[in-house]
Coordinates of all heavy atoms in Angstrom, one line a residue:
E233 N 2.0 -2.1 -27.7 CA 2.8 -3.1 -27.1 C 1.9 -3.8 -26.1 O 1.2 -3.2 -25.3 CB 4.1 -2.6 -26.5 CG 5.0 -1.9 -27.5 CD 6.1 -1.1 -26.8 OE1 5.9 -0.7 -25.6 OE2 7.2 -1.0 -27.4
H269 N 6.5 -6.3 -28.6 CA 7.0 -4.9 -28.7 C 8.1 -4.8 -29.8 O 8.7 -5.8 -30.1 CB 7.4 -4.4 -27.4 CG 8.6 -5.1 -26.8 ND1 9.9 -4.7 -27.0 CD2 8.7 -6.2 -26.0 CE1 10.7 -5.5 -26.4 NE2 10.0 -6.4 -25.8
Q270 N 8.3 -3.6 -30.2 CA 9.4 -3.3 -31.2 C 10.1 -2.0 -30.7 O 9.5 -1.1 -30.1 CB 8.8 -3.1 -32.6 CG 8.1 -4.3 -33.1 CD 7.3 -4.0 -34.4 OE1 7.2 -2.9 -34.8 NE2 6.8 -5.1 -35.0
A271 N 11.3 -1.8 -31.1 CA 12.1 -0.6 -30.8 C 13.2 -0.4 -31.8 O 13.7 -1.4 -32.3 CB 12.6 -0.7 -29.4
L272 N 13.5 0.8 -32.1 CA 14.6 1.2 -32.9 C 15.7 1.7 -32.1 O 15.5 2.2 -31.0 CB 14.1 2.2 -34.0 CG 13.0 1.8 -34.9 CD1 12.6 2.9 -35.8 CD2 13.4 0.5 -35.7
A273 N 16.9 1.7 -32.6 CA 18.1 2.2 -31.9 C 17.9 3.7 -31.8 O 17.4 4.4 -32.7 CB 19.4 1.9 -32.7
G274 N 18.4 4.3 -30.7 CA 18.4 5.7 -30.5 C 17.2 6.3 -30.0 O 16.9 7.5 -30.2
F275 N 16.3 5.5 -29.4 CA 15.1 6.0 -28.8 C 15.4 7.1 -27.8 O 16.1 6.9 -26.8 CB 14.3 4.9 -28.2 CG 13.0 5.3 -27.5 CD1 12.2 6.3 -28.1 CD2 12.6 4.7 -26.3 CE1 11.0 6.6 -27.5 CE2 11.4 5.1 -25.7 CZ 10.6 6.1 -26.3
D276 N 14.8 8.3 -27.9 CA 15.1 9.4 -27.0 C 14.1 9.4 -25.9 O 12.9 9.7 -26.1 CB 15.0 10.7 -27.9 CG 15.4 11.9 -27.0 OD1 15.7 11.7 -25.8 OD2 15.5 13.0 -27.6
R292 N 9.8 11.0 -32.3 CA 10.1 9.7 -31.7 C 10.9 8.8 -32.6 O 10.6 8.8 -33.8 CB 8.7 9.0 -31.4 CG 7.9 9.7 -30.4 CD 6.5 9.0 -30.2 NE 6.8 7.7 -29.5 CZ 6.6 7.6 -28.2 NH1 6.2 8.6 -27.5 NH2 6.8 6.4 -27.6
T293 N 11.8 8.0 -32.1 CA 12.5 7.0 -32.8 C 12.1 5.6 -32.4 O 12.7 4.7 -32.8 CB 14.0 7.2 -32.7 OG1 14.3 7.1 -31.3 CG2 14.5 8.5 -33.2
K294 N 11.0 5.5 -31.6 CA 10.5 4.3 -31.2 C 9.3 3.9 -32.0 O 8.6 4.7 -32.4 CB 10.1 4.3 -29.7 CG 9.6 3.0 -29.1 CD 9.2 3.1 -27.7 CE 8.7 1.8 -27.1 NZ 8.3 2.0 -25.7
T295 N 9.2 2.6 -32.3 CA 8.1 2.1 -33.0 C 7.4 1.0 -32.2 O 7.9 0.5 -31.2 CB 8.5 1.6 -34.4 OG1 7.3 1.2 -35.1 CG2 9.3 0.3 -34.3
R296 N 6.2 0.7 -32.6 CA 5.4 -0.4 -31.9 C 4.8 -1.3 -33.0 O 4.6 -0.8 -34.1 CB 4.3 0.2 -31.1 CG 4.8 1.1 -29.9 CD 3.6 1.5 -29.1 NE 4.0 2.2 -27.8 CZ 4.1 3.5 -27.7 NH1 3.7 4.3 -28.7 NH2 4.4 4.1 -26.5

Side-chain angles (χ1 to χ4, degrees):
E233 299 172 332
H269 62 91
Q270 299 171 353
L272 300 178
F275 177 40
D276 186 358
R292 298 179 67 98
T293 55
K294 183 178 181 181
T295 186
R296 296 184 173 100

